Every structure is written in C-alpha cells, then in structure tokens.
Amino acid sequence: MNNRFKVEILEGALDFFDEIEKKAVNKIIFNIRKSQQIIDSEVFKKLDGDIWEFRTLFNKKKYRLLAFWDKTGEKETIVVGTNGFIKKTQKTPKKEIKKAKQIRVEYFKDKTQ
C-alpha cells in the first residue's frame, strides 16, 4: 500500500521525543504511519491555518506533534513535524502553534536559499 505522504521530523520534534517515554514515542510513530495510509481525523487533523497535528493518546496523556505540509517543487508531498508537547488543557496552547508557524517560515526561507 502506498503512503499518501512522506514525513520529515525536524530537530524540535526529535527533542520532544527525547523528553518522553519510549513507549509513547512508539505510539506516536505508529499513529504517524497510520495517517500515511488512511484519513483519520482522530489521528491527524488540521489545527490552525497551515498547521496540522498528529494526535496520540497514550496512558491517559494527550501527545501532540505539530506539523505542516510541503508540496513545493517536483518532490513528493511531505508532512514536516515541527514540535511536540503534552496537551494538558482543552485548547492547544497558542505558544505551541506560534512556534510551529515560526518553524514553518524558517523552513521555507532556508529552502529557497
């Protein structure tokens, strides 16, 4: 079965993976792979403007990995994971969304240089 998109994980997201337990990371990766195969808004959904989120529930904790789409050029479509956090309230923290948006701006700026 073909993947709907490729996934690239940036340094900020990898730092998040280093901070959480290994089994949670494995579940997040499982959900990323699942979202590459099927459309499931419980696992991958649009959050704010150009920012999307991979959603994982593991051991009663809500893990979020923010991401954006890169569909430029001749390349395959890529989803770029920017930063992650454990969601503790109903609303996604604005600072996390702002951080993901800034990483997106830097990503495309670096890409054009």
Side-chain angles (χ1 to χ4, degrees):
M1 192 192 244
N2 289 339
N3 289 338
R4 298 181 315 123
F5 53 84
K6 287 177 48 177
V7 176
E8 181 179 323
I9 306 295
L10 299 181
E11 188 175 336
L14 293 174
D15 291 344
F16 172 65
F17 288 171
D18 288 342
E19 296 169 5
I20 61 176
E21 63 181 288
K22 182 76 172 151
K23 288 182 180 182
V25 173
N26 291 340
K27 180 73 184 267
I28 293 167
I29 292 170
F30 173 85
N31 281 344
I32 290 170
R33 289 189 177 133
K34 179 179 177 181
S35 69
Q36 289 177 298
Q37 301 295 320
I38 62 170
I39 297 171
D40 182 351
S41 63
E42 291 297 313
V43 176
F44 185 58
K45 78 179 233 180
K46 189 170 189 164
L47 185 62
D48 181 276
D50 294 319
I51 304 302
W52 289 64
E53 68 178 351
F54 290 104
R55 304 157 52 106
T56 300
L57 180 62
F58 181 74
N59 279 347
K60 299 180 184 175
K61 291 183 182 176
K62 297 175 184 177
Y63 295 90
R64 298 294 186 262
L65 179 66
L66 301 186
F68 61 87
W69 292 85
D70 178 357
K71 300 179 188 179
T72 58
E74 300 286 324
K75 288 185 176 181
E76 296 178 64
T77 301
I78 301 171
V79 173
V80 182
T82 59
N83 55 306
F85 59 95
I86 298 172
K87 190 172 177 185
K88 297 178 181 172
T89 63
Q90 198 69 357
K91 287 218 160 245
T92 300
K94 290 192 185 304
K95 72 174 188 159
E96 296 294 343
I97 295 171
K98 185 177 179 180
K99 183 177 180 180
K101 286 180 177 182
Q102 184 59 42
I103 292 169
R104 181 180 180 278
V105 167
E106 292 296 319
Y107 172 89
F108 284 112
K109 188 164 69 169
D110 289 347
K111 196 172 175 178
T112 59
Q113 292 178 353

